[in-house]
């Protein structure tokens, strides 16, 4: 009976020691977990530090009388104007119209820019034939085409679509052309030594190598589309965020004007987030994009 009690005591002591060791390990890891969570929260919140600080300063300046409500109404007045427009449904009609114009213009202009960029980047003859003409057109400001666009298309939706498409065409075109031409020649030679040629070489080596540059053009165009849209929507539009903003200006509704401006900013930020997500997904194989999400 005595040896059995001794064995049980030794087992209990070993179990307690093991539990203490696990507890010590957990206590040692606990600060690391908290530190990682704190760093992640800091990374998420730090980009919003400047906007929140500006809004607080703006509210303080408006309440103390430093800013006149005719020049810049306080943030609470802007929030009230947004709420009124949202409850009435007016803002959603304008946002839907502008979003459709932005998506359509980007699809047309970005799609053509991608196709011509691939064409001129891949074939020297196409570059010689087309690139000089495209570069001349690129240096014409899109806004300078407004009188001509009205003569061509009138004041219909086609005029707005044309202006947005022309504006987003060139960033995608230039970055696609640059991406194709700057693919590492060593990678192409190595792929050819393994027997790749023709479409397989283009699909598996050249296009992936050009993809980072192409996506930079896409991201830039997605931001530029909103800059062009607010001008395009001043051409006798009957709906859209730009129309809402210009109409509010006529009636000195500064709070509604700010709602339109902030709505453009939010939509532009959303487009940027989507483009970054597209980069993360399409370039998950790229060493420069691995681990960014963390």
């Amino acid at each position: 009976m005595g040896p059995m009690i001794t064995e049980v005591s030794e087992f209990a002591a070993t179990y307690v020691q093991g539990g203490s060791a696990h507890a010590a390990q957990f206590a040692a890891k606990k600060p690391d977990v908290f530190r990682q969570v704190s760093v992640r929260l800091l990374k998420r919140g730090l980009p919003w530090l400047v906007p929140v600080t500006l809004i607080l300063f703006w509210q303080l300046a408006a309440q103390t009388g430093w800013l006149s409500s005719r020049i810049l109404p306080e943030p609470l007045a802007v929030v009230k104007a947004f709420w009124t427009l949202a409850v009435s449904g007016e803002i959603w009609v304008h946002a839907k119209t502008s979003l459709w114009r932005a998506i359509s213009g980007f699809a047309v202009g970005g799609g053509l820019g991608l196709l011509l960029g691939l064409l001129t980047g891949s074939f020297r003859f196409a570059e010689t034939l087309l690139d000089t003409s495209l570069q001349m057109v690129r240096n014409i400001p899109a806004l300078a085409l407004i009188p001509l666009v009205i003569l061509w298309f009138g004041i219909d939706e086609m005029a707005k679509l044309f202006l947005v498409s022309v504006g987003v065409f060139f960033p995608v075109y230039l970055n696609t052309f640059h991406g194709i031409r700057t693919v590492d020649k060593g990678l192409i030679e190595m792929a050819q030594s393994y027997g790749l040629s023709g479409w397989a070489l283009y699909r598996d080596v050249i296009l992936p190598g050009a993809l980072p540059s192409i996506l930079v053009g896409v991201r830039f165009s997605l931001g530029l589309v909103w800059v062009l849209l607010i001008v395009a929507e001043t051409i006798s539009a009957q709906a859209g965020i730009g129309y809402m903003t210009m109409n509010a200006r006529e009636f000195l509704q500064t709070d509604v004007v700010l709602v339109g401006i902030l709505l453009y900013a939010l939509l532009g930020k959303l487009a940027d987030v989507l483009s970054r997500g597209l980069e993360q997904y399409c370039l998950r194989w790229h060493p420069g994009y691995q681990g960014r999400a963390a």
Side-chain angles (χ1 to χ4, degrees):
M1 191 69 178
M4 182 179 297
I5 295 175
T6 303
E7 291 178 1
V8 171
S9 301
E10 291 177 353
F11 175 78
T14 304
Y15 180 81
V16 170
Q17 291 176 358
S20 301
H22 285 301
Q25 291 178 359
F26 177 76
K29 290 181 179 179
K30 198 172 182 180
D32 294 336
V33 173
F34 287 148
R35 190 179 300 112
Q36 291 176 1
V37 172
S38 300
V39 169
R40 288 184 180 179
L41 290 176
L42 184 62
K43 286 183 178 180
R44 296 287 178 88
L46 194 59
W48 297 99
L49 179 62
V50 174
V52 171
T53 303
L54 288 175
I55 291 174
L56 291 175
F57 179 77
W58 175 13
Q59 179 68 32
L60 179 63
Q63 286 183 344
T64 55
W66 295 347
L67 283 176
S68 171
S69 60
R70 293 183 59 187
I71 298 175
L72 198 65
E74 61 180 355
L76 290 178
V78 177
V79 172
K80 291 178 182 177
F82 173 81
W83 179 254
T84 302
L85 292 170
V87 171
S88 66
E90 180 182 353
I91 196 170
W92 308 122
V93 174
H94 294 309
K96 180 181 177 181
T97 303
S98 294
L99 189 61
W100 179 86
R101 289 169 180 159
I103 293 174
S104 302
F106 176 78
V108 174
L112 289 175
L114 178 65
L115 291 176
L116 287 178
L118 292 174
L119 183 65
T120 55
S122 304
F123 302 102
R124 295 284 179 180
F125 175 76
E127 178 190 4
T128 304
L129 181 65
L130 299 174
D131 190 64
T132 300
S133 301
L134 290 174
Q135 295 303 325
M136 287 191 293
V137 175
R138 181 176 70 88
N139 289 290
I140 301 174
L143 304 184
L145 297 174
I146 291 179
L148 191 60
V149 168
I150 293 176
L151 291 175
W152 284 351
F153 304 106
I155 56 176
D156 202 0
E157 287 295 319
M158 190 61 67
K160 304 171 185 59
L161 180 63
F162 180 83
L163 282 175
V164 175
S165 300
V166 169
V168 302
F169 170 86
F170 290 103
V172 177
Y173 168 77
L174 289 174
N175 282 275
T176 302
F177 175 83
H178 178 265
I180 294 292
R181 288 298 173 86
T182 56
V183 174
D184 191 352
K185 301 298 181 184
L187 289 176
I188 297 176
E189 291 175 0
M190 184 175 65
Q192 289 174 338
S193 68
Y194 279 97
L196 283 179
S197 61
W199 169 244
L201 176 65
Y202 197 81
R203 179 193 61 203
D204 297 334
V205 177
I206 296 177
L207 280 180
L211 196 56
S213 182
I214 294 173
L215 290 175
V216 169
V218 169
R219 186 176 180 183
F220 184 77
S221 293
L222 282 173
L224 184 61
V225 68
W226 300 104
V227 178
L228 296 165
L229 189 62
I230 191 171
V231 179
E233 287 184 338
T234 61
I235 306 177
S236 242
Q238 298 300 319
I241 303 173
Y243 165 77
M244 180 187 74
T245 304
M246 300 303 291
N247 194 46
R249 184 203 64 178
E250 297 293 332
F251 295 96
L252 299 178
Q253 296 174 322
T254 316
D255 51 353
V256 178
V257 172
L258 285 172
V259 168
I261 293 173
L262 293 175
L263 193 55
Y264 273 121
L266 290 175
L267 289 172
K269 178 60 179 176
L270 178 61
D272 186 68
V273 169
L274 291 176
S275 63
R276 291 186 65 180
L278 184 64
E279 284 183 351
Q280 290 289 341
Y281 177 77
C282 295
L283 299 175
R284 58 190 182 277
W285 52 269
H286 197 287
Y289 289 83
Q290 291 176 359
R292 283 193 178 185

